[in-house]
Amino acid sequence: MSARSLSDQCSDGAFFERLARKYRSVLSKAPSPSERQSWENSLPALAEVLRDAGLDEVEVMIEYRLPLTSLRADVILAGSHPATGKPSYVIVELKQWSEARLVPGTDDLCLVPRMGNRPVLHPIAQVRRYCDYLQDFTNVLSDQEDAVTGVAYLHYAVDRDVSELLRHADAKAQLFTDTSRGELIRYLQARLSGLDGSPEGDSLLASPQTPGRQLMHAAAAEIIDGGAFLLMDEQEVAARLVKRAAELSRQSDQKEVIVISGGPGSGKSVIALHLMGHLGRNGRSVVHATGSKSFTTTLRHVVGAKNGRIPKLFRYFFDFTNIERNGLDVLICDEAHRIRRRSSGQGSYAGHRSGRSQVEELIDAARVPVFLLNEHQVVRPGEMGSVKAIDEAARARKCIVRHVDLNSQFRCGGSRAYEYWVLRLLGLEPGGPIQWQVEESFELLVAESPQKMEGYLRGRQGSGYTSRITAGFCWDWSDPRIDGSLVDDVVIGTWRKPWNLRGTRTVGGAPISSLWATDPSGFEQIGCIYTAQGFEYAWNGVIFGPDLVWRGNRWRAVREGSKDYTVKKAAPEDFDRLIRNTYKVLLTRGLAGTVLYSTDAETQAMLGNLIPASTN
């Protein structure tokens, strides 16, 4: 809409109700009362500024979703530059803060009384990252260095109450308050002409979006060279808290434990790799640990291609039984939901067992232990990594515990709606399954048969999109034949495919198990939870096996349908939870889309009723 239209409609309560309906249609949930209040308070303030600046024809795009993420800029103003006539865009972050100060010892973190004094990213740092991200992932802007700038407008604040925040403006991003409202007007007049901005707005909306580099292909550059990943919002807050804790750790006797939780694709491993690179380059001893053989092996493989010494920094949780207490500056525990109760029996022998729980060992190992986890990804008996367990162990050791919730979403095309749909589908959120509403940023399809799933995904693979098929662990898993060929263990009617390799040696052209998700030849094998967890690919095929079926109006976890003999040993209530979590992980690996198929007729019919599109 034009700035004039925004000004006219802000006096009409129905406008904000329309915004709320649009929000619900995109995110499958209602906006919070605080979100609605921010619209009602901040949008009229911006409309008045645009009117007073004489920019009535500038295009105003509200709650603009950044490419391939659920992060939303409050407003993007689109128009032409008054001097050059070229497209010009201003990202506007609107804050209702009346006072704020910097976190001591930092430049980019703020404490805001109205937000409970929890650390939040400096508004200038936030909007600067939005500008860089928009240019990095929008083709029409990629070669126009000066096309995008940003402002943070604290319309309730005066300069004296946010004075510590005013020091960090630059050509890319600036902060304005009610005190400097006149300067904001002049700034916008210098960036935008009074001409109709709708062509520039349409151009931005229609531009192809270039996806970011996949985690594994950027890992080596991030760790060795630095700077491959742009951290956004709460990702940057998390990284800053870790860096601050590392700086303070040598002068303080008080340990800090940082717990970073978030859903699939929220950037946990991106943060981990960024911190590995940053801390290592700044002389800190830092080690990365996981409980996943595939994930650790792949990281070692990727970074080892550039530097053979780097893979030693990637360890397993059970490697810290006998390490010197506080011997590391920072220990980054990625995939921390896979922490087990004890390390004994996993790389240690009786004479070298510590008597501590595994989470206690990890906390003791470093001055700053960092835990990154998603509690819905516990998929094996004995895994107990949770925020509660980490908190209890840390506080028992008199540690300060700081939490960061990564509420953004980068996998699944940034589709919060899809992640919520999966949680509802599997009963991990109350309310039962819901109909899938078609989205531009993410495709969800149901296949009539595994043959059609494979054909569709092979087409995606042939078009340059990484594609993989995974399945529940419901078929036997055979060793390769003597001649090196793989056994087609996954059999559904006349369709037959092998599982991915289990070993560490390439056989019959198939990649080793830890590289199944990243090697192009991995498409020819079916992956399971243990090879898919922690990875991402553009297109994701998921086969529901007979271990989870829909009966009447509920899911039934079927022990007899599983071939995962470790999981089958779990108690009934644990078995049900582990199976659902398994499919939660499998369903959230895709960046661009997911195709579903169930071997069970009733389950397949239920999925078909929920998902309007098919691979036909």
Side-chain angles (χ1 to χ4, degrees):
M1 68 173 67
S2 68
R4 177 183 286 108
S5 178
L6 174 65
S7 181
D8 292 343
Q9 294 189 60
C10 276
S11 59
D12 179 5
F15 169 64
F16 298 106
E17 180 54 38
R18 289 195 296 275
L19 273 182
R21 286 199 299 270
K22 180 65 174 178
Y23 185 104
R24 283 193 293 269
S25 72
V26 171
L27 298 179
S28 298
K29 62 180 180 180
S32 66
S34 63
E35 189 127 30
R36 277 198 69 142
Q37 185 181 45
S38 71
W39 296 338
E40 293 171 4
N41 292 339
S42 296
L43 290 176
L46 176 63
E48 288 182 9
V49 166
L50 294 172
R51 182 194 61 204
D52 292 349
L55 298 176
D56 289 341
E57 299 306 316
V58 162
E59 191 74 1
V60 180
M61 295 180 282
I62 301 169
E63 296 288 344
Y64 186 93
R65 189 164 79 174
L66 299 178
L68 301 180
T69 164
S70 63
L71 291 174
R72 289 169 286 128
D74 289 340
V75 171
I76 295 183
L77 304 176
S80 56
H81 194 282
T84 67
K86 293 181 178 179
S88 183
Y89 302 90
V90 179
I91 298 178
V92 183
E93 279 299 300
L94 299 164
K95 304 293 186 187
Q96 299 178 79
W97 306 352
S98 56
E99 56 180 314
R101 59 188 176 88
L102 292 177
V103 173
T106 72
D107 291 329
D108 284 353
L109 296 182
C110 304
L111 297 174
V112 184
R114 67 166 288 147
M115 300 179 70
N117 278 322
R118 66 178 178 84
V120 296
L121 195 61
H122 192 302
I124 288 180
Q126 179 186 10
V127 77
R128 184 186 294 123
R129 281 166 172 76
Y130 284 9
C131 292
D132 290 341
Y133 190 91
L134 187 67
Q135 287 196 269
D136 285 345
F137 293 93
T138 309
N139 285 0
V140 73
L141 301 175
S142 58
D143 296 324
Q144 301 184 47
E145 280 298 315
D146 193 40
V148 183
T149 60
V151 300
Y153 183 30
L154 281 59
H155 52 91
Y156 283 155
V158 294
D159 283 0
R160 69 173 178 272
D161 293 330
V162 294
S163 58
E164 292 184 12
L165 277 61
L166 302 176
R167 309 168 187 165
H168 305 289
D170 58 21
K172 180 68 78 171
Q174 298 194 30
L175 185 147
F176 299 93
T177 69
D178 185 57
T179 305
S180 53
R181 185 177 183 274
E183 294 175 34
L184 171 60
I185 289 173
R186 289 188 288 277
Y187 177 86
L188 294 176
Q189 290 171 331
R191 295 294 312 175
L192 297 161
S193 75
L195 300 176
D196 179 10
S198 60
E200 288 79 15
D202 291 344
S203 176
L204 183 64
L205 292 171
S207 175
Q209 298 174 350
T210 304
R213 282 171 286 185
Q214 289 189 37
L215 175 62
M216 293 307 151
H217 292 289
E222 174 60 33
I223 295 168
I224 298 170
D225 303 322
F229 292 114
L230 179 66
L231 302 185
M232 307 289 285
D233 286 15
E234 297 303 305
Q235 295 175 346
E236 181 68 12
V237 171
R240 290 282 175 180
L241 286 177
V242 174
K243 294 171 187 177
R244 175 179 180 270
E247 286 295 321
L248 296 175
S249 64
R250 292 182 179 176
Q251 292 90 41
S252 172
D253 294 328
Q254 181 73 64
K255 283 182 65 162
E256 290 191 24
V257 175
I258 314 294
V259 182
I260 304 167
S261 54
S266 56
K268 298 184 294 296
S269 294
V270 169
I271 294 168
L273 294 172
H274 169 82
L275 288 170
M276 287 287 291
H278 173 87
L279 294 168
R281 287 189 298 277
N282 285 277
R284 300 292 181 178
S285 59
V286 57
V287 170
H288 180 282
T290 79
S292 168
K293 182 177 180 181
S294 292
F295 195 52
T296 298
T297 302
T298 302
L299 284 170
R300 287 174 172 176
H301 173 81
V302 172
V303 300
K306 282 194 173 184
N307 187 324
R309 299 169 64 189
I310 297 292
K312 298 174 185 176
L313 300 177
F314 294 91
R315 315 298 303 181
Y316 295 103
F317 292 150
F318 58 71
D319 286 335
F320 299 88
T321 299
N322 299 300
I323 193 171
E324 177 187 359
R325 190 177 294 261
N326 294 330
L328 296 169
D329 287 320
V330 179
L331 174 60
I332 299 171
C333 301
D334 204 352
E335 302 264 297
H337 42 268
R338 303 204 64 179
I339 290 173
R340 305 182 76 83
R341 297 192 185 281
R342 299 280 174 184
S343 294
S344 57
Q346 303 177 67
S348 61
Y349 51 90
H352 287 75
R353 294 176 187 167
S354 68
R356 296 166 292 160
S357 68
Q358 192 170 81
V359 68
E360 289 171 334
E361 293 171 357
L362 296 169
I363 290 171
D364 289 347
R367 297 174 186 271
V368 182
V370 180
F371 296 89
L372 303 107
L373 74 159
N374 174 9
E375 293 177 303
H376 283 316
Q377 288 199 31
V378 174
V379 297
R380 299 200 77 178
E383 294 177 350
M384 47 72 67
S386 67
V387 173
K388 180 182 178 183
I390 296 166
D391 278 0
E392 289 176 349
R395 292 197 166 105
R397 279 162 156 66
K398 310 299 184 185
C399 301
I400 296 172
V401 184
R402 303 194 188 279
H403 296 95
V404 181
D405 180 17
L406 301 174
N407 54 18
S408 56
Q409 163 70 276
F410 284 78
R411 194 174 288 143
C412 309
S415 175
R416 278 278 184 82
Y418 176 67
E419 185 186 8
Y420 182 66
W421 183 89
V422 169
L423 293 173
R424 289 282 297 267
L425 173 72
L426 295 173
L428 299 172
E429 286 280 344
I434 54 176
Q435 195 80 14
W436 171 250
Q437 303 298 321
V438 176
E439 280 208 341
E440 291 183 6
S441 62
F442 190 83
E443 288 192 65
L444 180 62
L445 308 169
V446 62
E448 277 193 351
S449 66
Q451 289 92 336
K452 289 191 175 181
M453 171 187 282
E454 181 184 0
Y456 184 84
L457 292 175
R458 191 176 294 280
R460 301 285 85 199
Q461 179 91 353
S463 298
Y465 296 92
T466 53
S467 301
R468 294 293 183 273
I469 300 175
T470 58
F473 197 164
C474 302
W475 291 266
D476 288 322
W477 198 342
S478 304
D479 291 327
R481 299 184 181 93
I482 295 176
D483 64 4
S485 60
L486 303 183
V487 178
D488 290 333
D489 284 315
V490 183
V491 180
I492 304 172
T494 59
W495 187 77
R496 312 170 69 91
K497 297 288 283 187
W499 286 113
N500 62 263
L501 286 177
R502 283 189 290 189
T504 58
R505 183 171 61 89
T506 299
V507 175
I512 62 174
S513 60
S514 57
L515 300 182
W516 167 84
T518 54
D519 189 298
S521 58
F523 181 75
E524 301 304 329
Q525 306 90 45
I526 306 302
C528 75
I529 181 62
Y530 303 120
T531 41
Q533 190 171 28
F535 296 98
E536 61 187 29
Y537 20 88
W539 275 88
N540 178 29
V542 181
I543 297 174
F544 282 78
D547 58 347
L548 188 65
V549 297
W550 184 261
R551 292 292 178 265
N553 62 354
R554 60 183 292 273
W555 288 104
R556 180 175 169 232
V558 183
R559 196 180 299 269
E560 298 76 18
S562 175
K563 297 293 185 180
D564 191 334
Y565 296 106
T566 301
V567 172
K568 287 178 72 170
K569 297 174 184 176
E573 64 276 10
D574 291 335
F575 177 78
D576 177 89
R577 175 178 58 89
L578 294 172
I579 292 297
R580 293 186 196 217
N581 282 353
T582 292
Y583 282 102
K584 161 69 162 54
V585 173
L586 296 181
L587 287 166
T588 52
R589 300 302 93 194
L591 290 162
T594 294
V595 182
L596 305 182
Y597 174 79
S598 175
T599 60
D600 175 75
E602 187 172 340
T603 309
Q604 176 76 352
M606 182 272 291
L607 294 173
N609 288 333
L610 294 178
I611 303 167
S614 74
T615 58
N616 296 342

